[in-house]
Each structure stands twice: as structure tokens, then as C-alpha cells.
Amino acid sequence: MRIEELPVDERIRRVILGRGIEELYPPQAEALRSGVLEGKNLVLAIPTASGKTLVSEIVMINKLLREGGKAVYLVPLKALAEEKYREFKAWESLGLRVAATTGDYDSTDEWLGRYDIIVATAEKFDSLLRHGAGWIRDVKLVIADEVHLIGSYDRGATLEMILSHMLDKAQILALSATVGNAEELAGWLDATLVVSDWRPVELRKGVFHLGELMWEDGKRESYPENWESLALDAVRKGKQALVFVNTRRSAEKEAVSLSSKMARLLTKPEVRELRELADSLESNPTNEKLKRAIRGGVAFHHAGLSRAERTMIEDAFRDGLIKVITATPTLSAGINLPAFRVIIRDTKRYSGFGWTDIPVLEIQQMMGRAGRPKYDRVGEAIIVARTEDPKTLMERYVKGKPEKLFSMLANENAFRSQVLALITNFGIGNFRELIDFLGRTFYFHQRKDTSSIEYKAKDIVYFLIENEFIDMDLNDRFIALPFGKRTSQLYIDPLTAKKFRDAFPKLEENPNPFGIFHLIASTPDMATLRARKREFEDYLDLAYEFEEKLYTEIPYYEDYGFQGFLGEVKTAKVLLDWINEVPEGRIYETYGIDPGDLYRILELADWLIYSLIELYKLFEPKKDVLSYLRDLHLRLRHGVREELLELVRLPNIGRRRARALYNAGFRTQDDVVRAKVRDLLAVEGIGMKVVEGLFRHFGVELPEKAKKGGKTAERRKKGTLDDFLS
DNA sequence: AGTAAACTACTCTAGACAGCATGTC
DNA sequence: CTAGAGTAGTTTACT
């Protein structure tokens, strides 16, 4: 279909033509002819990069221009929210306003009301629904990207509930990878189903075994025995490769190994640029390896890397500077990063209980990354058979069908939280209404029966009543109690809330960082670290040393959860080090973790301590305890000792600058106000920008000559805690 | 006896969503 | 029930 024939607002056609697109891909055309433009629901199951986004944009903008109202675009990752936000921003030329909201960004309610297109993570939108923001009424279209995540064990229930809520309130456009039972999904959503495996770049799939590459059509090619030759070959052809492995350690090892073999394939300018890139990285144990790999044009990519490093690697790969990325599943879904050749080294992964085959759906998503539109005529996806029979792999992953989607609503943890929300935030008034609502879910559509989930729901309701999240009156009507309502809005697991409340008496008696951090670490919402075997004794000793500070008993060795407990102690200790200004580098070393891990722990702890405070407020809080908790929250957020609390409240002053200021003798805000600009600039990490910010904060005019001068002092005053202590 | 190689037993393992906007009377 | 890589510790082989 030609864009000019598209039955949508003329302005939309103009924008698309302006992008140089004149013709729609076949599946796009089919999707747009399905009735979706007339308001019908649609499930669109087509490969990544075959133009789902453009379909969404056309449907979305057309709807907004014709009917007004709002459209919500749901994504599974914060990084994707950002990506989509930037893409949709282009439509602001038509007078529509675009916003993105995730846990990182602006939160509530009415602020978002001023926007027409709202990009949000599923959890964030769920949270917005719970808060009952007024503008939700105006949502006329919900687009759920990567809707197959409805089958994800821990996050699927959220998506399912959102769609159940919105089903008869808004038009639904569900974008899915190819799944085994798309028609079932469409049936639930009362939607037209469009399925296609058409791709703008042809995809060749094959299996590699001991030097022999067998394509799905039976053609064979010979290579050196080691699979690395596949990656090197791609680079030799002037292309790029993406290698998927199943552990961080493998990603790092393979990157370094490939890197050493690639040096001669690089040009002089590339070598120089790569060296610069490597040198720009901060120093820490993981980055040393990364630097080595990058100098040879290879990078590894996993969740231990910080946000900045990941983005840097992605950009350098897109620019063609980095030739090969070895990655854990961080790159298998999510951000758009195609490569000519995709090599899948592992098809099994360790998953808590043992080794499992990676689902077909996931492997096919990895394979779908092969082929860069505009650069490649074909993309190649190759599975490496190392121990498994190549024929089995060919059957299962290349020729096989992806798994069916199953509702994960009955997952106990997710369901507990959702049942609470239904009662406290969505006006479900009694058990009958609860069951009625469940009748609208994918779970019911799929199973045609709710008896087993009713049983679970009943248990949960009893649990909620027993723990005073809700109550029931004489007519068996639910009553939302403040504790329940707040728990639901804080978006924490009811079990977490219960743990907090049970700990309040002891906490009041003996508020201390270690006890509080351990409490946080022991909740199901926290991602705790694992204690290694050889660390067991250390953390057990630590626990006994701090026994009086803990709010729980130390378990016995035989107890279930003993190892988990040690992990909690380890996590608490990391947080304790953090607020005692132990430098990041030393934390990575001591605990064997990476920057991404630390960031994750801090992010979660920050959210949970806030929630702890909010819940404590509901139970006749003691003023001194409350202010103790608030100070601790601030210390946690900035990673500082108590004496820096005052400085850290200033704009752009974090743990490093605050310490530097303090060491230089500026110990209070008052000291800073009275300081000479020249003296402030002499402090490590403080430049003109920061000083300007400070003066603006205090509402003081910056002296004219300082503005012009602003020269940096020759000798900076050092600013670490060690400097202070020595 | 000294040392290097070979063998064995043990350890470890992916990812990533959510709140809210401060202050002591 | 299903792995595979790395490491720490132990035994064996050989001079």
C-alpha cells in the first residue's frame, strides 16, 4: 500500500512521506486494513523490526487527531520508554504532546494530564491506575508493546491486569512477537489477529557444529572448527556480529578472546578511536577487561555494567566502531540494536533449580536481531551446537514453533498484590465482584474456569484481612484500610509491608542502619546478593557481631533460608558501606559485584526505605524515629555519613563534592553561603557551573568578576574520606 | 626429596519493574 | 533428571 492511499489524516501522510517512506510493508498494510483505524482492537504478531512502531504511530496519531483524548504506549523497559519517547517526539510538529513516565521520571497524575501520548512502563501505568489519576478517563487507546510478556512469570500478571482493566474502556493494540497461540490472545482481547513472518531484511538461519555451518535450507559451508571464526568472518566481510551467551563471565571471556584475534582486521583510525573510547572509561575491575576488549573492537554487554557504559557500547556499535558485542540476555529483547550476524553460543541457562532450555520464543527474538535494515540484504542467525545434537537444535529453534503463552495471573506473589489493589484501589466490594472481575482476564479466557484461582483468591483475602490490609463488614463487604491502600499505592508486595509493620516495635526501640538495611534486604521486593560459600563464615560472624542491631533472629544452619539470610546480611553490609562513604571501587572489590549491581541495590533500597517511612507514618510514629529514618533515607540516597547531610541537600552536591567541601572546611550550608567564590572553586569537583547553581539556590547574586574569571585553582583540595581521616 | 603434571572435588551461574519530591518547632 | 568453566586442593609421575 502506498502512503498516499492511506485512509488517514492528511497531515500524517505528510509526516511519513517526509521521512522518505512512500510504501508500507505488507504486514503493515494488512494491519492497517484490519479495522484498527476504525477503532477495532488488533493483535499484531510480526517480527521485530518489521515496522510495528510505524503502525502504532499511524493508529495513534490518527485516533488522536480525529477524536482527541489520549493514547498510552506501554513498554517493558525503562530504556525502551526513552527510545519510544524520542521517536514519538517527532509528532509534536502536529501539535500533539508526548511524555514518558517511568519509576525514574516524574510521577503523578495531573502533570501527565497535559500530554496526548504517554509512554510508560507497564508497572508505572498500573501504579497510575491505582492512584486514580483523573486523566485516565481520557485514554482512548492503549498500545501494549511486547505483549507476549504476559507469559512472563514475575511480570506477566501486571500486563494482564492492565489490559483487563482497560479492555472495555479503550481501544487495544497489542504488539507481539510470534507466539504459539496468538489467536487465543486475540480472542481474549476481542481483536483482529494479523500474523506474519515477513521481514524487510531476509533472515537466514542455521546451526554450526565443529566447523560445519548448516543452513535451514540444507546448504552447507565450512569454517574453522571454533565458532569464533563466524564472528571473525563477519568482521572480515566488513560486517558486525552479536554473540549471545548465558553468563556474564562467558560474555567477558569471549569478548577478550575475540578481541585479541581481531586486532589485524582494524584500520589505524579505528584503533585510535577505540583506544580513546577505552581510555574514557572509569577504572574498576570489570572495566579493565572491557577496555582490553574494546581496544580490539569488541565489547561485552551485561547488567553489571553501568547505564552509561551500556549506552556507550550500544552507540559505538551502531556507529560501526565496535564490531562485535558478546551479550547476556540484556540485548535479546528491548532496545533496537541489529547486526548482520547473530551467533547464539548457548541454548541452555541456569535458572535457580537447574539447567533449562532457553525458550524458543527467546531464541527467536535473539535471531530476529540479525540483519541491519538499509545496510544488509540478508541477516544471518546461527546457533552453535557445542554439546547438543545439531539436528535437535535445528528442529527446536530454527524450524520449531514458539511456545504458547500462559496466563501468570495465578502466580501467588503477583496475584496477592493485584487482589489487594482490586479491593483498595479499584472498588471491588465483595468476593462476588472479585470473581466477576477475574472473569475478564486472560486466565479465565484460557482456562474457562476460575475455581482454582478462586481458591487462591480466598486465601489471599483471608491473609489480607488477618493482617489488616482490608476488613470485612457484617454484609461481607470489603473495606479498604489505610495500611492496605498505602501498600498498594507504594507498589510494594503486601508481604513486604507486613514485614515492615511487624518490625516497627523493635525498630522504634533500636533504630540503626544495619537493622533497617537488613529488614529491607529481607523483603521479597529486594534483589538480594548471594553469599558465596567461602563468605558464609564471614557474614555469619558479622550477623552475630551485630546481633543486637537486627530485628530478626539469626537462623540456624539447618534452617531453610539460612543461605538467603547470609545474602541479606551481605546486602545490608553493602548498603552500610555505602552510607559510610566507602569508595565504589572498594565495594566492587570487597563484595565481588559490578557497578550495575550496586546501582540496582541502591535503587531498590531507596524505594523501599521510602515505603518503610510512609507505612510507619500510619502507626503513631515517634517524631525522633521518623526523623532518624528520613536522615537515613537521605544518607542512603547520597551515600554519605551523617556529617554531610546538610551539604548534600544542596543542588548538584552529591557524595563526592559534599565530602570535598567538608574536608575543605565548608561544613554547613552557612559556610558555603559565606565562602568566597575563589575558595569554592579550589575544591575538587567544584566548577563554575556548580557554584552558579549554589548561588541561585541561595538566591544570591554572583559577583560580576567571578562570572568572568572563573579560573580553576592550580592545586585542588582533595576530597575523599580517606583524605579526611588521614 | 622435589617438582610438575594430572586429576579431582568443589563452586558458581540472566535480567530488572515499582514511590516521591523533603525539610525541627 | 539435564552443563561447563574455572579454581583450589590432592595425587601421581618422573627426575
Side-chain angles (χ1 to χ4, degrees):
Chain A
M1 188 196 276
R2 299 189 56 76
I3 296 295
E4 274 134 28
E5 301 161 12
L6 200 60
V8 296
D9 193 289
E10 183 269 331
R11 288 169 285 177
I12 299 178
R13 290 199 297 264
R14 212 172 49 214
V15 171
I16 296 176
L17 288 168
R19 290 185 194 175
I21 300 173
E22 295 188 352
E23 178 99 35
L24 288 174
Y25 297 147
Q28 290 176 329
E30 196 190 335
L32 291 171
R33 273 195 292 258
S34 70
V36 70
L37 290 173
E38 287 75 48
K40 186 134 182 37
N41 291 351
L42 170 67
V43 171
L44 183 56
I46 59 178
T48 341
S50 58
K52 280 183 231 182
T53 307
L54 185 61
V55 174
S56 319
E57 289 178 300
I58 294 171
V59 171
M60 188 159 69
I61 309 298
N62 189 53
K63 182 126 184 158
L64 294 176
L65 290 181
R66 282 196 188 158
E67 302 174 28
K70 293 180 193 306
V72 172
Y73 192 99
L74 301 175
V75 292
L77 301 171
K78 290 186 211 171
L80 268 178
E82 220 169 290
E83 190 179 284
K84 292 299 169 199
Y85 169 72
R86 277 200 298 266
E87 284 179 53
F88 297 161
K89 204 80 172 143
W91 295 99
E92 294 204 328
S93 63
L94 299 188
L96 296 169
R97 305 198 57 192
V98 185
T101 175
T102 70
D104 285 350
Y105 292 157
D106 221 317
S107 85
T108 25
D109 312 2
E110 306 314 327
W111 177 81
L112 287 167
R114 315 201 313 260
Y115 294 82
D116 307 292
I117 296 172
I118 293 153
V119 184
T121 53
E123 285 76 8
K124 183 66 190 193
F125 186 63
D126 189 21
S127 166
L128 289 166
L129 285 174
R130 292 183 187 189
H131 281 86
W135 55 267
I136 301 277
R137 272 192 307 274
D138 305 329
V139 175
K140 296 241 170 83
L141 171 68
V142 175
I143 301 180
D145 200 357
E146 315 269 354
V147 80
H148 51 270
L149 283 171
I150 220 167
S152 133
Y153 179 78
D154 54 330
R155 295 179 60 197
T158 311
L159 241 189
E160 181 172 344
M161 287 301 280
I162 292 171
L163 293 175
S164 304
H165 282 301
M166 299 305 290
L167 201 44
D168 52 9
K169 298 193 182 71
Q171 184 187 1
I172 310 278
L173 170 51
L175 310 172
S176 172
T178 319
V179 295
N181 56 341
E183 57 301 318
E184 202 168 13
L185 197 63
W188 170 50
L189 294 172
D190 187 24
T192 317
L193 173 65
V194 172
V195 184
S196 161
D197 55 7
W198 187 93
R199 293 173 31 115
V201 182
E202 190 196 326
L203 178 61
R204 290 186 88 194
K205 294 181 264 186
V207 175
F208 180 86
H209 181 61
L210 296 176
E212 188 174 48
L213 173 55
M214 169 130 81
W215 294 108
E216 54 186 323
D217 59 12
K219 291 205 182 97
R220 286 159 193 265
E221 285 175 45
S222 279
Y223 282 88
E225 188 172 317
N226 192 313
W227 63 266
E228 285 186 323
S229 58
L230 294 172
L232 297 172
D233 174 67
V235 178
R236 222 172 276 125
K237 288 177 174 151
K239 303 284 191 179
Q240 292 170 298
L242 209 48
V243 181
F244 286 106
V245 298
N246 65 0
T247 63
R248 289 184 187 183
R249 199 208 289 224
S250 298
E252 295 177 8
K253 191 199 86 181
E254 303 294 12
V256 171
S257 163
L258 278 168
S259 169
S260 66
K261 294 167 189 166
M262 279 206 7
R264 8 179 225 104
L265 302 176
L266 301 169
T267 65
K268 280 246 166 65
E270 281 176 339
V271 171
R272 204 194 53 238
E273 270 187 80
L274 286 164
R275 170 152 301 137
E276 276 169 24
L277 198 63
D279 291 343
S280 73
L281 290 172
E282 219 175 278
S283 282
N284 65 53
T286 311
N287 276 7
E288 293 315 313
K289 278 190 221 159
L290 186 56
K291 288 179 187 191
R292 225 185 320 150
I294 285 180
R295 289 194 192 102
V298 187
F300 53 84
H301 192 285
H302 60 58
L305 301 179
S306 71
R307 207 46 269 171
E309 284 151 4
R310 284 205 244 177
T311 319
M312 186 274 272
I313 291 167
E314 291 153 17
D315 291 344
F317 189 77
R318 263 189 282 262
D319 292 345
L321 184 58
I322 286 178
K323 312 292 179 190
V324 180
I325 295 184
T326 59
T328 58
T330 30
L331 282 184
S332 65
I335 58 131
N336 183 26
L337 196 75
F340 165 68
R341 185 173 280 174
V342 167
I343 300 162
I344 297 167
R345 199 202 68 169
D346 302 308
T347 55
K348 285 180 185 292
R349 96 169 44 115
Y350 184 84
S351 68
F353 341 93
W355 286 83
T356 48
D357 288 321
I358 298 174
V360 178
L361 180 72
E362 252 179 81
I363 295 281
Q364 291 191 344
Q365 284 216 297
M366 294 179 198
M367 297 200 285
R369 309 251 111 174
R372 292 182 79 174
K374 291 182 204 155
Y375 294 93
D376 301 324
R377 197 180 48 76
V378 293
E380 300 181 343
I382 302 161
I383 300 175
V384 179
R386 294 195 301 165
T387 54
E388 281 222 64
D389 178 16
K391 282 194 209 100
T392 316
L393 294 176
M394 180 70 88
E395 289 307 314
R396 186 189 306 142
Y397 292 118
V398 176
K399 302 192 169 160
K401 261 182 69 166
E403 293 79 5
K404 285 187 175 180
L405 248 36
F406 288 102
S407 167
M408 289 295 154
L409 190 61
N411 166 7
E412 184 102 9
N413 290 308
F415 194 45
R416 188 186 305 116
S417 179
Q418 293 295 346
V419 168
L420 174 64
L422 283 171
I423 296 169
T424 57
N425 300 77
F426 295 110
I428 294 294
N430 60 37
F431 203 70
R432 189 67 257 152
E433 290 172 27
L434 181 57
I435 302 305
D436 284 349
F437 184 87
L438 294 178
R440 307 163 48 156
T441 61
F442 185 52
Y443 182 95
F444 178 76
H445 180 80
Q446 196 165 42
R447 314 266 286 248
K448 307 288 179 228
D449 167 63
T450 47
S451 53
S452 72
I453 206 173
E454 275 177 37
Y455 190 75
K456 265 189 191 174
K458 212 166 260 174
D459 273 356
I460 287 171
V461 167
Y462 290 145
F463 167 85
L464 294 174
I465 293 173
E466 207 171 306
N467 290 288
E468 294 166 7
F469 289 96
I470 59 171
D471 205 349
M472 209 187 242
D473 71 11
L474 294 173
N475 301 317
D476 286 350
R477 284 200 69 77
F478 298 143
I479 302 161
L481 298 178
F483 178 55
K485 180 139 191 160
R486 200 71 191 103
T487 297
S488 172
Q489 289 185 329
L490 290 165
Y491 217 83
I492 58 177
D493 188 321
L495 285 184
T496 297
K498 175 177 155 53
K499 271 204 169 221
F500 284 169
R501 198 189 47 189
D502 290 348
F504 286 154
K506 283 189 175 167
L507 193 157
E508 266 188 343
E509 213 172 274
N510 178 20
N512 75 86
F514 192 74
I516 292 165
F517 292 159
H518 174 262
L519 173 63
I520 285 173
S522 72
T523 65
D525 282 311
M526 187 73 186
T528 44
L529 297 169
R530 283 184 46 166
R532 295 179 173 82
K533 278 252 164 62
R534 76 178 87 93
E535 297 172 329
F536 277 12
E537 226 167 303
D538 299 345
Y539 292 119
L540 193 57
D541 288 350
L542 188 74
Y544 278 112
E545 190 189 328
F546 284 163
E547 195 171 7
E548 263 79 74
K549 297 178 184 292
L550 290 170
Y551 306 137
T552 56
E553 301 288 320
I554 298 173
Y556 293 108
Y557 186 80
E558 315 79 55
D559 288 355
Y560 173 80
F562 176 75
Q563 294 190 15
F565 171 79
L566 294 180
E568 292 160 13
V569 172
K570 179 174 178 176
T571 311
K573 183 62 169 34
V574 168
L575 293 170
L576 195 62
D577 279 7
W578 170 250
I579 63 163
N580 280 323
E581 296 180 48
V582 174
E584 284 98 316
R586 207 181 305 159
I587 294 182
Y588 305 145
E589 242 169 75
T590 313
Y591 303 97
I593 61 174
D594 285 324
D597 303 312
L598 179 61
Y599 178 83
R600 180 100 196 99
I601 291 170
L602 294 175
E603 186 189 33
L604 285 165
D606 189 12
W607 163 49
L608 289 169
I609 197 167
Y610 174 82
S611 301
L612 174 78
I613 293 168
E614 286 302 295
L615 291 180
Y616 179 58
K617 282 191 200 162
L618 301 176
F619 296 94
E620 296 164 14
K622 286 188 186 162
K623 248 181 220 148
D624 53 331
V625 175
L626 200 55
S627 81
Y628 180 85
L629 288 170
R630 283 187 174 130
D631 280 355
L632 188 61
H633 186 196
L634 203 60
R635 287 182 63 191
L636 181 66
R637 173 160 293 180
H638 294 288
V640 294
R641 295 185 170 202
E642 244 174 316
E643 68 248 30
L644 300 188
L645 274 175
E646 193 173 329
L647 294 175
V648 114
R649 286 177 211 266
L650 294 169
N652 300 317
I653 305 297
R655 78 189 308 223
R656 295 202 183 141
R657 285 176 184 147
R659 173 51 64 193
L661 283 168
Y662 191 89
N663 291 2
F666 307 105
R667 311 210 154 171
T668 63
Q669 295 201 4
D670 206 42
D671 291 342
V672 177
V673 179
R674 290 164 195 279
K676 288 196 186 111
V677 173
R678 183 156 37 91
D679 294 338
L680 286 176
L681 286 172
V683 177
E684 192 177 38
I686 309 270
M688 223 27 229
K689 280 238 168 83
V690 177
V691 174
E692 276 171 27
L694 288 173
F695 276 71
R696 212 175 311 122
H697 172 76
F698 291 123
V700 183
E701 197 58 30
L702 200 60
E704 268 310 311
K705 64 175 181 201
K707 269 186 201 163
K708 279 180 254 144
K711 66 168 181 242
T712 308
E714 324 67 54
R715 278 186 71 237
R716 287 301 186 95
K717 302 209 173 145
K718 283 292 175 94
T720 65
L721 180 65
D722 285 344
D723 299 325
F724 174 69
L725 295 175
S726 60

